[in-house]
Every structure is written in structure tokens, then in C-alpha cells.
């Protein structure tokens, strides 16, 4: 076959304007029996039993090779579709050819078809399977000139059937009334490249023709209680995307299904008579007056609707509601399709609360009123439907954040009465005892079954932990393991913020530490041992002896005094010690002397001064 070099090639696409009636349609019919295509329609071999590469079937079933099955696109019961197991194009790849007759000369048309990769992604095929790829061609009646062509590109398989529509635009030549459609395989044979085709359609394609009144609207709606629809002029406006000239024939319909030509109305405008019932108007358009009455050549405009809308009936209520304030359910009414609902606060007049909604959620108790209307215009029902909304109050609870002392049980309260209680601890009393910090919740439910949740955040003040108490000369120094805003006391006295006490006398003392939040204090006894830094045995009865106080609190005592040369000057193993600064009755000179004092296994070493 030799094709003319004078051809018009186009990419795939659809008519962007108005289309005419369907000129040609191939749905492959319906039925439980398989059928073969007429001779000359395909170069593939018909095999309904087991179609391998290069073979096809037309059936309502495709249970082969794991293909999608029962996937008719038309939607007919037992609808058939054309299934091809595409080969490697050794037979020319031409799997569908048909001639379309009765077209008009020099006229634009749209071809379209639905395609499906009938093989889901398969683990048995490399890369899930070979994608399908189809070329569409529109040729003149001699099969010698390509008027338009386009490729789909690769279409991979999908887990669920996914029909996709493809289209191609073309224009017949002068004196041309027939064209040839061809579909060719661009892919290769093997595991995959299996496709189904359905719903092949040809329609004329022309300008987008919009119909509007003098307000620029394409619909005129009037309530039935407003009387007739007055005469209206409708203007047809083409977009000149296809046609360079236009011929018109106006039509009218009572149901937008059956259309009748309006005799003599062949201009771009039409003035309606006065209408007592609804009417629909459209216009047939062709580029040449000779084609305007030929449905194979013309296109159909958009529809202009002149509607007399019945007054809507009052909506139907689904029932009054009783709700809790924290569970706001909406009031609801029902209406027929193509109706809308407005909500008001009065049976007539009143305030508009919500427009165009079948549901309304009030914010307070009361009776609310719903009116219905057509969604096209405000033809509201003569009466409104009353619906009562009762919103029950919730128990009044308030969240709290409180502090508890470590190891001190605490009672927490719901703080609300005349309700039932449920704590997250499982208890059902108004007050519970807690021993640990954390988050506690209480659900209070009143007699109407409405519940509120109270949350109590309980933080803990940690109890001080005494790490050590030690004496440094006359100071008692307290150290804690943990840090905190602590205060300190000795022998039940007043608390102070400093952990240091200056105590000049040795003895047994009780040290207490607490947080500054009135939590209980922790206490510990401590033996404070003070060693004098000097004494002056000069006979004035003031500090005449070196005395160690508090030894009576220790069970094991040993005291030794040495001079600077390490000679023992005095010693004692009793629970009291006093030294007058003499050795064998001789007064020792002023100097530093050294001590070694062992009390209950603890050794103190240091020096003191003797001053004369």
C-alpha cells in the first residue's frame, strides 16, 4: 500500500467545542456467545478458545493468562468487548479497520475509543508485562491519504481495570464523504501487550456554541406562583475555534430529550413566546447552510433552560434531638433532589441562620425552622418544618494542679455533686486518696447522661535526704543528697535557709530539714564535738583550763596532749577531760600544743594555743 505524502498528522485530542449526534458507534454488542468480526476488519485470527499472540476474541469474558475479566465498558448486561493478544507486528500490526460512510464534505469530526491494558502487572513477566501502545489513523476513502494519526504511548497494566478514552480530530476533504479508521499495534509480542477496545464513536466537531439571555445567563428560572415567563431573546455565540461561518436552526423541547425544529428560526438569535410551562432551547449549527439540517454534519449547542419551578413542599424532619453540650449533633431534614434548605429562628420571617444545607447544628436549645426551595431559584415552601433542639448542660468541673509531699497520702476531690463518678483509678467516690504523683482524671455524669472530665495534675515535692552532718570547729554543716528549696532547724528551733549552725558547745543535737512548702521535716541526731582553739591558765578564773565538753555522750574516749617536740604532756581515758597547762606540777610555757582525741573510733588531730 502506498500512502500519499500529502497528509495531515495530528496529536491525540478531543473536540474542544460542541459535538453533534453520534454518527457511528461500535460497542461490540452483548450476549453470552462469542462473535467474530466481519471479514476485512482485522488481520488478527479469531480464537475464542485460547487467543495467543496475533489472535483475538469478541466476548463478554476474558478468562485467559490472568487477564481482567468481565470488564465491558459500555455497561450492558453481558456486554462484549474486543480483546487482542497483540503480536510483534509481523502481520502489519493492523488489528482493526472499518469504513465510516455518510460524512459531510470539508467537515471536522472527532473519533474516540476506550482502551484497557487487560493484563494486570504480572510477576511472571519482565517489568510486570509489556505495555500496550496503539496508533490511530484516519485515512481518506481511497486508503491513500492519512487525514490524521496519533499514538497513545505506553499504557502499563493496572491492578484493577482502568479504561482510558483516547480521541483524534480530523477534517474531511472537499468531495469526501467516507473515511477509513485503522488501529495498529505499536508494541511487541511476548509477555504482555494485551488490550481490550470498546465504545468506538464518531461525532461531528464544531465551535463551542453558548446560549445566553441579555443577562448573560443560560438558564431562566421562575417560581410557578409568579405567573408566565415573558418573552426572552436568546443569543447563540460561537467561539470560531472550528468554523469560519455559521448556519443556524433553533430547536425546542418540553423534556430536553425530544427536540423539534422551530420553523423559520435560522439566525443567531431567537425570541421565545410567552411561556406557561418549562421549555428548553438549543440550536443546530453548521459551517454551511446546506449541512445544518444534516445531523451527520452539524453540531449541537449548549442548552438554554426556561423553567417554571414548582413551589417546594416543606422538608421532612428526621426528628427532634436531645444532645449533650459537648456532643453537638446536627438537626437534619430531607428533601427531594435539586432542592435546598434554609434554616430560620421563626416559623415565618425571622433571621436566616444557615442557607443551602439539609443539616444545622444549633449552639443552644430551641425550636428551629427549615424551609425548602429549588436550588435554581428561591421558590420556598409555603410553610417551614419545626425541629426542636434540646442541649443538656454538662456537669461543671474545673481542672486542678496540686502539690503533694513525698510519702504523705493526699485526698483529691471531684468538686461537683449530684453526679456519678468514675476515676481513672477505677474508684467511683467523690473523693479518693492518692499516694503517688501523676495525672488523675474523673468523669462526672449527670442524670441526663451528659459527662465532663476533670483532670488533676499532681506534682510531688521530694523529701530532703540528709547525706551528711559534720562538725567543723564550732560549725555544724548539713549536706543533702538532693537539691531543693530546703530550710534547716536544730533541736526544734526556728527554721533557717542556711545549712550551717554555729554551736560553741559540744553535745547531742537533733538536726531537721524540710522543704519550704510545709511538708514534713526529716530529722537526724548528731554529736557535735567542739575542741577549744586556746586557753589561758593565768589565774583570772576565765578560760583557765583546756576542757573538752560533751565527752559524756561517747562510750569510748581517749585524749592525749603533746608539746611541740612530741612529748606526752597529759592523757585521759575517762568521759571527761580538763587540763590546767602543767606537767608534773610545773607550769608549762606559752606555746602551741597538739592533741590526739579518739571518740568512738573517730580520731581528731590538731593543735591549740596555751597563752600565759
Amino acid at each position: 500500500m502506498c500512502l500519499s505524502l500529502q497528509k495531515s498528522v495530528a496529536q491525540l485530542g478531543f473536540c474542544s467545542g460542541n459535538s453533534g449526534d453520534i454518527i457511528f458507534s461500535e460497542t461490540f454488542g452483548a450476549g453470552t456467545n462469542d462473535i467474530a468480526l466481519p471479514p476485512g476488519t482485522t488481520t488478527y485470527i479469531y480464537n475464542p478458545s485460547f487467543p495467543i499472540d496475533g489472535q483475538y476474541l469478541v466476548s463478554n469474558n476474558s478468562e485467559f493468562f490472568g487477564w481482567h475479566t468481565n470488564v465491558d465498558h459500555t455497561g450492558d448486561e453481558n456486554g462484549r468487548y474486543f480483546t487482542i493478544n497483540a503480536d510483534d507486528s509481523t502481520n502489519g500490526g493492523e488489528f482493526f479497520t472499518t469504513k465510516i460512510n455518510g460524512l459531510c464534505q470539508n467537515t471536522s469530526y472527532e473519533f474516540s475509543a476506550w482502551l484497557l491494558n487487560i493484563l494486570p502487572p504480572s510477576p511472571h513477566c519482565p517489568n510486570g508485562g509489556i505495555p500496550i501502545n496503539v496508533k490511530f489513523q484516519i485515512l481518506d476513502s481511497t486508503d491513500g491519504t492519512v487525514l490524521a494519526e496519533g499514538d497513545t504511548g505506553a499504557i502499563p497494566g493496572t491492578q484493577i481495570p482502568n479504561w482510558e478514552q483516547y480521541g483524534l480530530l480530523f477534517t474531511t476533504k472537499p468531495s469526501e464523504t467516507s473515511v477509513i479508521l485503522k488501529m495498529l499495534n505499536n508494541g511487541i509480542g511476548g509477555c504482555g501487550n494485551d488490550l481490550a477496545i470498546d465504545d468506538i464513536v464518531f461525532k461531528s466537531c464544531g465551535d463551542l456554541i453558548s446560549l445566553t439571555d441579555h443577562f448573560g445567563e443560560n438558564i431562566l428560572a421562575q417560581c410557578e406562583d409568579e405567573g408566565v415567563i415573558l418573552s426572552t431573546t436568546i443569543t447563540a455565540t460561537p467561539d470560531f475555534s472550528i468554523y469560519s461561518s455559521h448556519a443556524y436552526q433553533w430547536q425546542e423541547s418540553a423534556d430536553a430529550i425530544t427536540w423539534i425544529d422551530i420553523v423559520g428560526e435560522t439566525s443567531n438569535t431567537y425570541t421565545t413566546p410567552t411561556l406557561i410551562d418549562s421549555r428548553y432551547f438549543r440550536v443546530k449549527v453548521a459551517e454551511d447552510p446546506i449541512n445544518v439540517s444534516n445531523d451527520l454534519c452539524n453540531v449541537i449547542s449548549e442548552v438554554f433552560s426556561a423553567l417554571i419551578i414548582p413551589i417546594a413542599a416543606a422538608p421532612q424532619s428526621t426528628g427532634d434531638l436531645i444532645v449533650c453540650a459537648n456532643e453537638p449533633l446536627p438537626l437534619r431534614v430531607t428533601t427531594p433532589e435539586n432542592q435546598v434548605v434554609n434554616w430560620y429562628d421563626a416559623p415565618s420571617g425571622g433571621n436566616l441562620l444557615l442557607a443551602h444545607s439539609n443539616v444545622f447544628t444549633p449552639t443552644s436549645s430551641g425550636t428551629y425552622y427549615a424551609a425548602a426551595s429549588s436550588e435554581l431559584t428561591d421558590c420556598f415552601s409555603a410553610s417551614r418544618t419545626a425541629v426542636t433542639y434540646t442541649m443538656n448542660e454538662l456537669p461543671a468541673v474545673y481542672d486542678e494542679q496540686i502539690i503533694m509531699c513525698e510519702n504523705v497520702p493526699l485526698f483529691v476531690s471531684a468538686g461537683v455533686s449530684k453526679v456519678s463518678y468514675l476515676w481513672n483509678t477505677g474508684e467511683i467516690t467523690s473523693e479518693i486518696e492518692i499516694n503517688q504523683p501523676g495525672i488523675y482524671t474523673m468523669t462526672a455524669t449527670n442524670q441526663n447522661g451528659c459527662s465532663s472530665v476533670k483532670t488533676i495534675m499532681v506534682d510531688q515535692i521530694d523529701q530532703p535526704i540528709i547525706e551528711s552532718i559534720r562538725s567543723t570547729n564550732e560549725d555544724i554543716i548539713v549536706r543533702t543528697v538532693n537539691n531543693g528549696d530546703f530550710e534547716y532547724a536544730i533541736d526544734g528551733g526556728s527554721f533557717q535557709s542556711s545549712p550551717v549552725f554555729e554551736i560553741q558547745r559540744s553535745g547531742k543535737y537533733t538536726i531537721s530539714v524540710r522543704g519550704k512548702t510545709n511538708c514534713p521535716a526529716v530529722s537526724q541526731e548528731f554529736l557535735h564535738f567542739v575542741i577549744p582553739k586556746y586557753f589561758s591558765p593565768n589565774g583570772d578564773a576565765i578560760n583557765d583550763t583546756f576542757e573538752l565538753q560533751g565527752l559524756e555522750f561517747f562510750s569510748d574516749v581517749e585524749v592525749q596532749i603533746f608539746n611541740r617536740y612530741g612529748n606526752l604532756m597529759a592523757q585521759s581515758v575517762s568521759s571527761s577531760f580538763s587540763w590546767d597547762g602543767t606537767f608534773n606540777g610545773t607550769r608549762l610555757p606559752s606555746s602551741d600544743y597538739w592533741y590526739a582525741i579518739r571518740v568512738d573510733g573517730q580520731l581528731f588531730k590538731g593543735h591549740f594555743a596555751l597563752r600565759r
Side-chain angles (χ1 to χ4, degrees), residues 222 227-232 270-277 279 308:
Q222 183 173 297
V228 298
I229 297 179
L230 299 178
S231 177
T232 300
Y270 170 65
T271 301
T272 72
T274 298
L275 302 175
I276 61 174
D277 54 13
R279 281 291 185 272
I308 294 180

Side-chain angles (χ1 to χ4, degrees), residues 23 101-109 147 170-179 204-205 242-243 286-292 294 296-298:
I23 298 168
N101 297 312
L103 303 181
C104 298
Q105 305 174 29
N106 201 29
T107 301
S108 296
Y109 291 93
L147 303 179
F170 68 95
T171 302
T172 55
K173 297 187 298 182
S175 74
E176 190 77 65
T177 59
S178 299
V179 296
S204 59
C205 174
I242 304 294
Y243 297 160
E287 195 164 20
D288 191 297
I290 198 173
N291 291 330
V292 74
N294 186 343
L296 300 180
C297 311
N298 61 34

Side-chain angles (χ1 to χ4, degrees), residues 324-405:
C324 297
N326 60 346
E327 297 177 348
L329 300 175
L331 296 174
R332 188 181 300 273
V333 294
T334 60
T335 60
E337 290 186 10
N338 303 321
Q339 289 190 5
V340 296
V341 173
N342 286 1
W343 293 85
Y344 299 88
D345 60 2
S348 62
N351 297 304
L352 175 64
L353 303 177
L354 180 65
H356 293 191
S357 176
N358 284 52
V359 297
F360 172 60
T361 305
T363 57
S364 61
S365 298
T367 301
Y368 299 89
Y369 302 87
S373 170
S374 166
E375 63 184 9
L376 297 175
T377 190
D378 293 339
C379 300
F380 280 101
S381 52
S383 62
R384 298 174 181 175
T385 300
V387 191
T388 301
Y389 194 77
T390 303
M391 182 179 289
N392 288 325
E393 296 296 326
L394 306 178
V397 299
Y398 303 95
D399 293 344
E400 291 185 73
Q401 186 166 1
I402 60 178
I403 294 173
M404 69 177 297
C405 299

